[in-house]
Amino acid sequence: MSAPVEFGAPGGEDWAAAHPRTSWFDIRPLADGVFLIAEPGHVNNFLVVGDDRAVLLDTGLGVADIRTVAERLAGKPLSVVNSHYHFDHSGGNRLFDEIAIHRAGAEMLAQPAPEGLAEGYMAYTQRLIEEWQGYKQLDDAYFHLVTAETLIRPLPEGFDPAGYRIVPTTATTLLDDGDQIDLGGRVLEVMHTPGHSPDSICLFDERNGLLFGGDTINTGPIYAQLEDSDVEAFARSTRRLAGLGDSVDRVFVCHFMRVDNPPGLLTEIADGFERLVDGSAPFRDNADCLGYPVREACFDRFSIFVAGVNGGTRV
Ligand SMILES: [Zn+2]
Ligand SMILES: [Zn+2]
């Protein structure tokens, strides 16, 4: 099992000590200048640091102060890029001044969230924390897969789930496919990958072979059942990512515990979407995290949710 990673942040603070593994965020270096700032069981955010400045890819649920964490780690001017407008990736936007998103998402980012979404997600969080107890007991007895990195955290002290709000925010920069975000000695290329949502992007650090997959690439259920999801666009986007081929070494994903993946996952997911589109994928009935019925196409390392017979969710 992995030991806690000790690393000093710029400014000499000991982040392993300042942020013990039982705090809300799981903070880990993933590569030179790349940090995971995860909310385990919820969402994974990534800090990418260049010579001159840093980008925080997504701001999470907004239940804890991700700005302070990211700024101390980066030690440089910091701005936000949202992988797409969804609340679990933009919940902390309100803490920041500079926010970039693909132009297709700016309007949605600035709109109030659907009624009941914040309450629905907090109900899911409550269930997650309760079910976790039993899962952990079974793991302790039999499986021994859980590490300090994958512990489900209680909600932060002082946080009131009943007061959780999804706050609309305004983008200060609109992104397009092919844009290059130059951090000094490190460039992130914007790849517009619609499908999960119209504004979904991936960021590609070609020089270092790192792809940040947003909600386009995931290692659990991939959400293609939402009202503004588009399965055929999703298939095209995932095939395009698979086409990056040998220029990708590692793929980082925004949900679930298998954060760091080999590039072969891209081809597996593109093939999965192809089978979904041609009708040969095996399905079962399931429900998404908010309890809405979905049909689930199951593959070895991921699955794909599509709208159930009663339609998709409103997330
Ligand atoms: Zn999403
Ligand atoms: Zn998401």
Side-chain angles (χ1 to χ4, degrees):
M1 296 295 147
S2 60
V5 179
E6 299 286 337
F7 60 99
E13 277 199 68
D14 181 352
W15 275 83
H19 295 273
R21 291 307 176 90
T22 49
S23 74
W24 178 249
F25 296 110
D26 171 40
I27 302 165
R28 282 183 262 159
L30 292 173
D32 192 25
V34 179
F35 297 89
L36 171 68
I37 306 176
E39 301 171 62
H42 302 276
V43 66
N44 305 317
N45 313 287
F46 300 91
L47 177 70
V48 187
V49 185
D51 292 337
D52 303 328
R53 65 187 189 99
V55 151
L56 178 63
L57 178 61
D58 289 338
T59 59
L61 294 177
V63 309
D65 182 359
I66 198 170
R67 179 172 177 161
T68 299
V69 168
E71 280 185 343
R72 287 193 187 164
L73 276 173
K76 313 202 160 149
L78 176 69
S79 65
V80 164
V81 172
N82 287 135
S83 64
H84 59 303
Y85 75 88
H86 288 160
F87 79 98
D88 50 329
H89 302 257
S90 61
N93 276 16
R94 66 179 190 278
L95 302 170
F96 293 87
D97 309 312
E98 286 181 59
I99 298 161
I101 194 167
H102 187 273
R103 67 175 61 251
E107 201 180 315
M108 295 299 289
L109 189 67
Q111 278 180 11
E115 184 125 353
L117 181 55
E119 294 83 353
Y121 194 80
M122 282 300 124
Y124 164 73
T125 300
Q126 193 60 43
R127 286 202 306 281
L128 173 70
I129 291 168
E130 283 166 15
E131 300 282 11
W132 164 254
Q133 311 301 331
Y135 182 95
K136 181 74 166 56
Q137 276 177 13
L138 288 173
D139 191 73
D140 287 348
Y142 298 109
F143 309 117
H144 315 291
L145 287 167
V146 172
T147 67
E149 295 164 348
T150 55
L151 290 172
I152 300 295
R153 275 77 167 153
L155 282 160
E157 215 168 296
F159 173 80
D160 174 17
Y164 180 57
R165 298 283 179 272
I166 297 166
V167 181
T169 51
T170 303
T172 53
T173 301
L174 300 182
L175 300 172
D176 288 300
D177 186 65
D179 281 354
Q180 310 267 324
I181 302 170
D182 190 347
L183 304 180
R186 183 190 287 271
V187 173
L188 297 172
E189 182 185 334
V190 175
M191 298 183 73
H192 184 213
T193 51
H196 171 72
S197 64
D199 64 328
S200 286
I201 60 166
C202 298
L203 292 182
F204 184 31
D205 176 351
E206 185 171 9
R207 192 175 305 171
N208 297 297
L210 307 178
L211 181 73
F212 299 87
D215 267 0
T216 302
I217 299 298
N218 261 315
T219 51
I222 294 173
Y223 278 33
Q225 83 281 20
L226 309 175
E227 265 178 17
D228 60 359
S229 296
D230 178 335
V231 169
E232 290 186 357
F234 221 143
R236 287 191 295 275
S237 292
T238 53
R239 184 58 69 195
R240 180 184 175 204
L241 294 174
L244 293 172
D246 290 344
S247 53
V248 178
D249 291 325
R250 298 164 75 187
V251 181
F252 301 129
V253 302
C254 281
H255 288 285
F256 316 116
M257 305 297 196
R258 287 173 287 139
V259 175
D260 186 355
N261 296 276
L265 180 65
L266 299 175
T267 303
E268 288 179 38
I269 290 177
D271 290 349
F273 270 98
E274 197 170 291
R275 291 188 62 192
L276 198 67
V277 170
D278 75 19
S280 66
F283 277 103
R284 68 178 181 187
D285 291 328
N286 204 340
D288 70 12
C289 72
L290 298 180
Y292 290 90
V294 294
R295 301 190 74 216
E296 181 179 30
C298 298
F299 301 95
D300 288 349
R301 288 199 280 177
F302 66 96
S303 68
I304 304 171
F305 282 173
V306 293
V309 282
N310 298 322
T313 73
R314 353 169 248 153
V315 183

